[in-house]
Structures are given as C-alpha cells and as structure tokens.
Amino acid sequence: MKIYVAIAFISLVGCVSAQCNIPPQYWCDSLSVAQKCGVESACREFLNAEAAEPVNIELYFESLCPGCRQFITTQLYPTWMSLKESGIMAASMVPYGNAKEVQLSSGLWNYTCQHGAEECVGNLIENCIIHYSEDKFDTYFPILYCMEDASDPIKAAEMCVKKSDLDWDQIHTCSKGEQGNHLMHKSAMKTEALDPAHKYVPWIVANGKHTEGMQQEAQGNLLKFVCDTYTGAKPKECQSGIKFKQIVSFRE
C-alpha cells in the first residue's frame, strides 16, 4: 500500500510543495500532511480509487464451442494474466451454455449438449474442476484454459488437471457420477436465471449486467473493456495501450 502510494504520486503529482520533507508513501496518512505537501486533491482521488470494486466478469460457455474457446484463449486468459496483480478484475465461469436438461425418475438429470455427448462430458469435467477448486478462479482457470487451448479439450483434461494441485481421480469420479450431475444442474439453473436470458454463447455478464454493446466490446477487446469499466485509478496495464489481435467473434 505505502509503496503503491509512493509510485502513484511520483507519477501523478507534478509539483510538490517545497515545505514537504516527508517521503511520498506517507503523504496521505493525514489531512495535515497532504495539505503541507500540496497533494490534498490527489490524496482524495487516490483514496477514493482504492475503494473501487473490481470489474466482475462472468462467462457463460460450453466446452466445445469454437467461439467460447476463442474468447477464453485470446481474450480472457491474456487479460487475466495482465490484470491479476492489479486486482481490478474478478471473474467466474459457468460451463453449461446451450445445453438442455430433463429430470429423470431417479432425481438425476439427463443432459443434451449443442456439440454432442462429448461436450456434455467436457462440461461435467469443468464443473467438477471448479467445485474442487472451491470456486477460486485463479485455481481453476489455468486448468480450464489448458483444456480449451488444446486441440481436444476432453482428451487434454487429465493432463491439464495433473499439472495442477487437483486430484484427477477425484475429478474423473465426480464427472462420471451423481456429484457431477448435480453440479451441472446448478450451472443449468444459474444459466437459466440470466436476465436477460442468454441467446448464444459465449455470453458475457459484467457487474451483473449484459447488453449487446457490452458483449461486443468485451468480446472484441476484454482488456480495454475492463479498464474502461473500472472506476478506480487505472493500473499501468491499462495505460500501456496493449491491444490483442482482433479476431472474428463467433457466437452459437
């Protein structure tokens, strides 16, 4: 915190009062110090920025969807890598997409998926990975990225899980049994509760909202979208002008 204040003010404050003989990391410790150093307005701006909430990105997707895989690998992953240290973005993923479910007499659910039975397998595996990661994005996302970046996400699942701290046997058992079945039902309910209802995937929700304009901006350049949406002081990653290769965005 103190170091960040120093860096922020060294870069943002052009002129400091000659009466100020206090190190930059202490300028915002009190109103009197800020006034003495002539940085009162900058301190107010900084402290307000510190209270800003991260931009919350929710991705509703399905495991074998080309457009979803493109967004995950070319937008979500590089944006996460760029911004994870700054903390201005929070994210979550819901593997279900355009699947359909019918409840059986046993109480379990039968699933049909847009890209066939293999996609349902992928969705089940990814739901189990998220569950056993305790819903921690920084834990499960590298695994899901590994799967979605592979030529065959289903075949890559075991290798991707084994590269992490999770237990593949536990994930595999989950995906084949009642636990995975019920986890996918939870994702189905969350997907079906979207307002407005999703019409395609990938479906992107930012801070609890979805519009076509937000979707286009986020799918086209997620880093810029997050930086523009964030209400606090922009980290250097937002000011660097990083641009990702523009690729045609697929929807299904």
PDB file of all heavy atoms in Angstrom, residues 218-246:
ATOM      1  N   ALA A 218     -16.556  -6.319 -24.907  1.00  0.00           N
ATOM      2  CA  ALA A 218     -15.801  -7.288 -24.119  1.00  0.00           C
ATOM      3  C   ALA A 218     -15.242  -8.397 -24.996  1.00  0.00           C
ATOM      4  O   ALA A 218     -14.110  -8.840 -24.803  1.00  0.00           O
ATOM      5  CB  ALA A 218     -16.695  -7.886 -23.026  1.00  0.00           C
ATOM      6  N   GLN A 219     -16.028  -8.866 -25.958  1.00  0.00           N
ATOM      7  CA  GLN A 219     -15.571  -9.948 -26.809  1.00  0.00           C
ATOM      8  C   GLN A 219     -14.513  -9.477 -27.797  1.00  0.00           C
ATOM      9  O   GLN A 219     -13.654 -10.258 -28.211  1.00  0.00           O
ATOM     10  CB  GLN A 219     -16.763 -10.561 -27.555  1.00  0.00           C
ATOM     11  CG  GLN A 219     -16.508 -11.971 -28.042  1.00  0.00           C
ATOM     12  CD  GLN A 219     -17.771 -12.685 -28.498  1.00  0.00           C
ATOM     13  OE1 GLN A 219     -18.882 -12.198 -28.302  1.00  0.00           O
ATOM     14  NE2 GLN A 219     -17.606 -13.841 -29.112  1.00  0.00           N
ATOM     15  N   GLY A 220     -14.544  -8.194 -28.139  1.00  0.00           N
ATOM     16  CA  GLY A 220     -13.575  -7.665 -29.088  1.00  0.00           C
ATOM     17  C   GLY A 220     -12.246  -7.290 -28.455  1.00  0.00           C
ATOM     18  O   GLY A 220     -11.182  -7.502 -29.039  1.00  0.00           O
ATOM     19  N   ASN A 221     -12.276  -6.746 -27.224  1.00  0.00           N
ATOM     20  CA  ASN A 221     -11.047  -6.350 -26.534  1.00  0.00           C
ATOM     21  C   ASN A 221     -11.367  -6.282 -25.043  1.00  0.00           C
ATOM     22  O   ASN A 221     -11.733  -5.236 -24.519  1.00  0.00           O
ATOM     23  CB  ASN A 221     -10.553  -4.994 -27.044  1.00  0.00           C
ATOM     24  CG  ASN A 221      -9.151  -4.673 -26.528  1.00  0.00           C
ATOM     25  OD1 ASN A 221      -8.767  -5.077 -25.436  1.00  0.00           O
ATOM     26  ND2 ASN A 221      -8.393  -3.935 -27.327  1.00  0.00           N
ATOM     27  N   LEU A 222     -11.233  -7.410 -24.380  1.00  0.00           N
ATOM     28  CA  LEU A 222     -11.633  -7.503 -22.976  1.00  0.00           C
ATOM     29  C   LEU A 222     -10.780  -6.615 -22.084  1.00  0.00           C
ATOM     30  O   LEU A 222     -11.285  -6.007 -21.138  1.00  0.00           O
ATOM     31  CB  LEU A 222     -11.570  -8.954 -22.497  1.00  0.00           C
ATOM     32  CG  LEU A 222     -12.041  -9.187 -21.058  1.00  0.00           C
ATOM     33  CD1 LEU A 222     -13.511  -8.826 -20.891  1.00  0.00           C
ATOM     34  CD2 LEU A 222     -11.801 -10.635 -20.640  1.00  0.00           C
ATOM     35  N   LEU A 223      -9.494  -6.532 -22.350  1.00  0.00           N
ATOM     36  CA  LEU A 223      -8.623  -5.692 -21.528  1.00  0.00           C
ATOM     37  C   LEU A 223      -9.095  -4.245 -21.543  1.00  0.00           C
ATOM     38  O   LEU A 223      -9.226  -3.600 -20.495  1.00  0.00           O
ATOM     39  CB  LEU A 223      -7.179  -5.780 -22.016  1.00  0.00           C
ATOM     40  CG  LEU A 223      -6.182  -4.880 -21.281  1.00  0.00           C
ATOM     41  CD1 LEU A 223      -6.093  -5.243 -19.808  1.00  0.00           C
ATOM     42  CD2 LEU A 223      -4.803  -4.966 -21.929  1.00  0.00           C
ATOM     43  N   LYS A 224      -9.352  -3.716 -22.718  1.00  0.00           N
ATOM     44  CA  LYS A 224      -9.831  -2.337 -22.835  1.00  0.00           C
ATOM     45  C   LYS A 224     -11.169  -2.177 -22.145  1.00  0.00           C
ATOM     46  O   LYS A 224     -11.417  -1.180 -21.453  1.00  0.00           O
ATOM     47  CB  LYS A 224      -9.940  -1.933 -24.302  1.00  0.00           C
ATOM     48  CG  LYS A 224     -10.382  -0.480 -24.520  1.00  0.00           C
ATOM     49  CD  LYS A 224     -10.418  -0.135 -25.991  1.00  0.00           C
ATOM     50  CE  LYS A 224     -10.740   1.341 -26.205  1.00  0.00           C
ATOM     51  NZ  LYS A 224     -12.030   1.743 -25.593  1.00  0.00           N
ATOM     52  N   PHE A 225     -12.044  -3.168 -22.319  1.00  0.00           N
ATOM     53  CA  PHE A 225     -13.377  -3.095 -21.711  1.00  0.00           C
ATOM     54  C   PHE A 225     -13.274  -3.038 -20.190  1.00  0.00           C
ATOM     55  O   PHE A 225     -13.929  -2.216 -19.538  1.00  0.00           O
ATOM     56  CB  PHE A 225     -14.221  -4.295 -22.138  1.00  0.00           C
ATOM     57  CG  PHE A 225     -15.558  -4.364 -21.455  1.00  0.00           C
ATOM     58  CD1 PHE A 225     -16.602  -3.541 -21.849  1.00  0.00           C
ATOM     59  CD2 PHE A 225     -15.764  -5.247 -20.396  1.00  0.00           C
ATOM     60  CE1 PHE A 225     -17.838  -3.601 -21.202  1.00  0.00           C
ATOM     61  CE2 PHE A 225     -16.991  -5.314 -19.752  1.00  0.00           C
ATOM     62  CZ  PHE A 225     -18.034  -4.483 -20.161  1.00  0.00           C
ATOM     63  N   VAL A 226     -12.460  -3.901 -19.602  1.00  0.00           N
ATOM     64  CA  VAL A 226     -12.300  -3.915 -18.147  1.00  0.00           C
ATOM     65  C   VAL A 226     -11.692  -2.605 -17.664  1.00  0.00           C
ATOM     66  O   VAL A 226     -12.158  -2.007 -16.690  1.00  0.00           O
ATOM     67  CB  VAL A 226     -11.445  -5.116 -17.692  1.00  0.00           C
ATOM     68  CG1 VAL A 226     -11.109  -5.010 -16.204  1.00  0.00           C
ATOM     69  CG2 VAL A 226     -12.165  -6.426 -17.977  1.00  0.00           C
ATOM     70  N   CYS A 227     -10.660  -2.155 -18.348  1.00  0.00           N
ATOM     71  CA  CYS A 227     -10.010  -0.904 -17.952  1.00  0.00           C
ATOM     72  C   CYS A 227     -10.969   0.274 -18.057  1.00  0.00           C
ATOM     73  O   CYS A 227     -11.000   1.143 -17.180  1.00  0.00           O
ATOM     74  CB  CYS A 227      -8.774  -0.662 -18.812  1.00  0.00           C
ATOM     75  SG  CYS A 227      -7.386  -1.776 -18.448  1.00  0.00           S
ATOM     76  N   ASP A 228     -11.763   0.326 -19.122  1.00  0.00           N
ATOM     77  CA  ASP A 228     -12.719   1.421 -19.292  1.00  0.00           C
ATOM     78  C   ASP A 228     -13.830   1.364 -18.254  1.00  0.00           C
ATOM     79  O   ASP A 228     -14.368   2.402 -17.840  1.00  0.00           O
ATOM     80  CB  ASP A 228     -13.338   1.378 -20.701  1.00  0.00           C
ATOM     81  CG  ASP A 228     -12.361   1.772 -21.790  1.00  0.00           C
ATOM     82  OD1 ASP A 228     -11.277   2.302 -21.460  1.00  0.00           O
ATOM     83  OD2 ASP A 228     -12.675   1.534 -22.978  1.00  0.00           O
ATOM     84  N   THR A 229     -14.195   0.149 -17.836  1.00  0.00           N
ATOM     85  CA  THR A 229     -15.291  -0.027 -16.886  1.00  0.00           C
ATOM     86  C   THR A 229     -14.864   0.231 -15.450  1.00  0.00           C
ATOM     87  O   THR A 229     -15.659   0.699 -14.627  1.00  0.00           O
ATOM     88  CB  THR A 229     -15.865  -1.461 -17.002  1.00  0.00           C
ATOM     89  OG1 THR A 229     -16.275  -1.708 -18.359  1.00  0.00           O
ATOM     90  CG2 THR A 229     -17.074  -1.652 -16.094  1.00  0.00           C
ATOM     91  N   TYR A 230     -13.612  -0.036 -15.149  1.00  0.00           N
ATOM     92  CA  TYR A 230     -13.117   0.138 -13.787  1.00  0.00           C
ATOM     93  C   TYR A 230     -13.156   1.612 -13.391  1.00  0.00           C
ATOM     94  O   TYR A 230     -12.696   2.478 -14.131  1.00  0.00           O
ATOM     95  CB  TYR A 230     -11.685  -0.391 -13.683  1.00  0.00           C
ATOM     96  CG  TYR A 230     -11.109  -0.341 -12.292  1.00  0.00           C
ATOM     97  CD1 TYR A 230     -11.697  -1.049 -11.244  1.00  0.00           C
ATOM     98  CD2 TYR A 230      -9.976   0.420 -12.020  1.00  0.00           C
ATOM     99  CE1 TYR A 230     -11.170  -1.001  -9.964  1.00  0.00           C
ATOM    100  CE2 TYR A 230      -9.443   0.465 -10.733  1.00  0.00           C
ATOM    101  CZ  TYR A 230     -10.049  -0.248  -9.709  1.00  0.00           C
ATOM    102  OH  TYR A 230      -9.521  -0.199  -8.441  1.00  0.00           O
ATOM    103  N   THR A 231     -13.704   1.898 -12.205  1.00  0.00           N
ATOM    104  CA  THR A 231     -13.903   3.287 -11.791  1.00  0.00           C
ATOM    105  C   THR A 231     -12.753   3.845 -10.958  1.00  0.00           C
ATOM    106  O   THR A 231     -12.739   5.032 -10.649  1.00  0.00           O
ATOM    107  CB  THR A 231     -15.208   3.420 -10.980  1.00  0.00           C
ATOM    108  OG1 THR A 231     -15.141   2.557  -9.827  1.00  0.00           O
ATOM    109  CG2 THR A 231     -16.415   3.052 -11.833  1.00  0.00           C
ATOM    110  N   GLY A 232     -11.803   2.991 -10.577  1.00  0.00           N
ATOM    111  CA  GLY A 232     -10.672   3.451  -9.777  1.00  0.00           C
ATOM    112  C   GLY A 232      -9.520   3.930 -10.646  1.00  0.00           C
ATOM    113  O   GLY A 232      -9.636   4.054 -11.868  1.00  0.00           O
ATOM    114  N   ALA A 233      -8.403   4.208  -9.982  1.00  0.00           N
ATOM    115  CA  ALA A 233      -7.197   4.602 -10.701  1.00  0.00           C
ATOM    116  C   ALA A 233      -6.729   3.459 -11.587  1.00  0.00           C
ATOM    117  O   ALA A 233      -6.672   2.310 -11.146  1.00  0.00           O
ATOM    118  CB  ALA A 233      -6.105   4.982  -9.700  1.00  0.00           C
ATOM    119  N   LYS A 234      -6.430   3.759 -12.833  1.00  0.00           N
ATOM    120  CA  LYS A 234      -6.063   2.711 -13.782  1.00  0.00           C
ATOM    121  C   LYS A 234      -4.623   2.243 -13.528  1.00  0.00           C
ATOM    122  O   LYS A 234      -3.709   3.059 -13.421  1.00  0.00           O
ATOM    123  CB  LYS A 234      -6.168   3.228 -15.219  1.00  0.00           C
ATOM    124  CG  LYS A 234      -7.442   3.996 -15.545  1.00  0.00           C
ATOM    125  CD  LYS A 234      -8.704   3.176 -15.418  1.00  0.00           C
ATOM    126  CE  LYS A 234      -9.924   3.994 -15.832  1.00  0.00           C
ATOM    127  NZ  LYS A 234     -11.185   3.282 -15.609  1.00  0.00           N
ATOM    128  N   PRO A 235      -4.420   0.935 -13.461  1.00  0.00           N
ATOM    129  CA  PRO A 235      -3.048   0.429 -13.327  1.00  0.00           C
ATOM    130  C   PRO A 235      -2.279   0.619 -14.617  1.00  0.00           C
ATOM    131  O   PRO A 235      -2.860   0.926 -15.663  1.00  0.00           O
ATOM    132  CB  PRO A 235      -3.257  -1.052 -13.008  1.00  0.00           C
ATOM    133  CG  PRO A 235      -4.565  -1.388 -13.648  1.00  0.00           C
ATOM    134  CD  PRO A 235      -5.408  -0.147 -13.486  1.00  0.00           C
ATOM    135  N   LYS A 236      -0.982   0.414 -14.549  1.00  0.00           N
ATOM    136  CA  LYS A 236      -0.132   0.654 -15.720  1.00  0.00           C
ATOM    137  C   LYS A 236      -0.523  -0.227 -16.895  1.00  0.00           C
ATOM    138  O   LYS A 236      -0.335   0.157 -18.053  1.00  0.00           O
ATOM    139  CB  LYS A 236       1.334   0.422 -15.362  1.00  0.00           C
ATOM    140  CG  LYS A 236       1.702  -0.993 -14.966  1.00  0.00           C
ATOM    141  CD  LYS A 236       3.175  -1.099 -14.607  1.00  0.00           C
ATOM    142  CE  LYS A 236       3.610  -2.524 -14.297  1.00  0.00           C
ATOM    143  NZ  LYS A 236       2.879  -3.119 -13.182  1.00  0.00           N
ATOM    144  N   GLU A 237      -1.091  -1.403 -16.620  1.00  0.00           N
ATOM    145  CA  GLU A 237      -1.501  -2.306 -17.708  1.00  0.00           C
ATOM    146  C   GLU A 237      -2.598  -1.679 -18.558  1.00  0.00           C
ATOM    147  O   GLU A 237      -2.727  -1.983 -19.743  1.00  0.00           O
ATOM    148  CB  GLU A 237      -1.979  -3.643 -17.142  1.00  0.00           C
ATOM    149  CG  GLU A 237      -0.894  -4.490 -16.507  1.00  0.00           C
ATOM    150  CD  GLU A 237      -0.531  -4.054 -15.106  1.00  0.00           C
ATOM    151  OE1 GLU A 237      -1.239  -3.182 -14.526  1.00  0.00           O
ATOM    152  OE2 GLU A 237       0.472  -4.586 -14.572  1.00  0.00           O
ATOM    153  N   CYS A 238      -3.402  -0.815 -17.949  1.00  0.00           N
ATOM    154  CA  CYS A 238      -4.466  -0.136 -18.695  1.00  0.00           C
ATOM    155  C   CYS A 238      -3.912   1.038 -19.499  1.00  0.00           C
ATOM    156  O   CYS A 238      -4.528   1.476 -20.467  1.00  0.00           O
ATOM    157  CB  CYS A 238      -5.532   0.390 -17.741  1.00  0.00           C
ATOM    158  SG  CYS A 238      -6.522  -0.892 -16.946  1.00  0.00           S
ATOM    159  N   GLN A 239      -2.776   1.549 -19.088  1.00  0.00           N
ATOM    160  CA  GLN A 239      -2.209   2.727 -19.731  1.00  0.00           C
ATOM    161  C   GLN A 239      -1.160   2.377 -20.778  1.00  0.00           C
ATOM    162  O   GLN A 239      -0.623   3.249 -21.447  1.00  0.00           O
ATOM    163  CB  GLN A 239      -1.580   3.630 -18.662  1.00  0.00           C
ATOM    164  CG  GLN A 239      -2.585   4.094 -17.621  1.00  0.00           C
ATOM    165  CD  GLN A 239      -1.941   4.633 -16.366  1.00  0.00           C
ATOM    166  OE1 GLN A 239      -0.720   4.631 -16.233  1.00  0.00           O
ATOM    167  NE2 GLN A 239      -2.752   5.083 -15.422  1.00  0.00           N
ATOM    168  N   SER A 240      -0.883   1.073 -20.910  1.00  0.00           N
ATOM    169  CA  SER A 240       0.194   0.660 -21.803  1.00  0.00           C
ATOM    170  C   SER A 240      -0.223   0.562 -23.255  1.00  0.00           C
ATOM    171  O   SER A 240       0.600   0.403 -24.142  1.00  0.00           O
ATOM    172  CB  SER A 240       0.739  -0.702 -21.354  1.00  0.00           C
ATOM    173  OG  SER A 240      -0.273  -1.697 -21.462  1.00  0.00           O
ATOM    174  N   GLY A 241      -1.550   0.620 -23.467  1.00  0.00           N
ATOM    175  CA  GLY A 241      -2.025   0.550 -24.844  1.00  0.00           C
ATOM    176  C   GLY A 241      -1.953  -0.850 -25.424  1.00  0.00           C
ATOM    177  O   GLY A 241      -1.907  -1.023 -26.634  1.00  0.00           O
ATOM    178  N   ILE A 242      -1.939  -1.877 -24.563  1.00  0.00           N
ATOM    179  CA  ILE A 242      -1.894  -3.259 -25.043  1.00  0.00           C
ATOM    180  C   ILE A 242      -3.148  -3.549 -25.848  1.00  0.00           C
ATOM    181  O   ILE A 242      -4.254  -3.272 -25.417  1.00  0.00           O
ATOM    182  CB  ILE A 242      -1.793  -4.250 -23.876  1.00  0.00           C
ATOM    183  CG1 ILE A 242      -0.469  -4.050 -23.131  1.00  0.00           C
ATOM    184  CG2 ILE A 242      -1.919  -5.682 -24.352  1.00  0.00           C
ATOM    185  CD1 ILE A 242      -0.349  -4.870 -21.870  1.00  0.00           C
ATOM    186  N   LYS A 243      -2.959  -4.112 -27.009  1.00  0.00           N
ATOM    187  CA  LYS A 243      -4.096  -4.488 -27.844  1.00  0.00           C
ATOM    188  C   LYS A 243      -3.915  -5.932 -28.291  1.00  0.00           C
ATOM    189  O   LYS A 243      -2.835  -6.334 -28.705  1.00  0.00           O
ATOM    190  CB  LYS A 243      -4.210  -3.572 -29.064  1.00  0.00           C
ATOM    191  CG  LYS A 243      -4.559  -2.133 -28.712  1.00  0.00           C
ATOM    192  CD  LYS A 243      -4.718  -1.302 -29.968  1.00  0.00           C
ATOM    193  CE  LYS A 243      -5.097   0.130 -29.628  1.00  0.00           C
ATOM    194  NZ  LYS A 243      -5.248   0.965 -30.839  1.00  0.00           N
ATOM    195  N   PHE A 244      -4.993  -6.689 -28.199  1.00  0.00           N
ATOM    196  CA  PHE A 244      -4.948  -8.065 -28.658  1.00  0.00           C
ATOM    197  C   PHE A 244      -5.316  -8.124 -30.132  1.00  0.00           C
ATOM    198  O   PHE A 244      -6.013  -7.257 -30.655  1.00  0.00           O
ATOM    199  CB  PHE A 244      -5.915  -8.935 -27.854  1.00  0.00           C
ATOM    200  CG  PHE A 244      -5.601  -8.987 -26.390  1.00  0.00           C
ATOM    201  CD1 PHE A 244      -6.580  -8.757 -25.453  1.00  0.00           C
ATOM    202  CD2 PHE A 244      -4.314  -9.244 -25.956  1.00  0.00           C
ATOM    203  CE1 PHE A 244      -6.287  -8.800 -24.103  1.00  0.00           C
ATOM    204  CE2 PHE A 244      -4.005  -9.284 -24.620  1.00  0.00           C
ATOM    205  CZ  PHE A 244      -5.000  -9.056 -23.684  1.00  0.00           C
ATOM    206  N   LYS A 245      -4.838  -9.149 -30.773  1.00  0.00           N
ATOM    207  CA  LYS A 245      -5.167  -9.359 -32.184  1.00  0.00           C
ATOM    208  C   LYS A 245      -6.674  -9.475 -32.350  1.00  0.00           C
ATOM    209  O   LYS A 245      -7.334 -10.240 -31.657  1.00  0.00           O
ATOM    210  CB  LYS A 245      -4.488 -10.639 -32.685  1.00  0.00           C
ATOM    211  CG  LYS A 245      -4.726 -10.918 -34.159  1.00  0.00           C
ATOM    212  CD  LYS A 245      -4.009 -12.197 -34.584  1.00  0.00           C
ATOM    213  CE  LYS A 245      -4.266 -12.492 -36.063  1.00  0.00           C
ATOM    214  NZ  LYS A 245      -3.606 -13.740 -36.480  1.00  0.00           N
ATOM    215  N   GLN A 246      -7.210  -8.685 -33.225  1.00  0.00           N
ATOM    216  CA  GLN A 246      -8.651  -8.712 -33.443  1.00  0.00           C
ATOM    217  C   GLN A 246      -9.019  -9.917 -34.306  1.00  0.00           C
ATOM    218  O   GLN A 246      -8.517 -10.100 -35.411  1.00  0.00           O
ATOM    219  CB  GLN A 246      -9.110  -7.416 -34.132  1.00  0.00           C
ATOM    220  CG  GLN A 246      -8.901  -6.181 -33.270  1.00  0.00           C
ATOM    221  CD  GLN A 246      -9.727  -6.226 -32.003  1.00  0.00           C
ATOM    222  OE1 GLN A 246     -10.934  -6.403 -32.051  1.00  0.00           O
ATOM    223  NE2 GLN A 246      -9.064  -6.069 -30.858  1.00  0.00           N
TER     224      GLN A 246
END
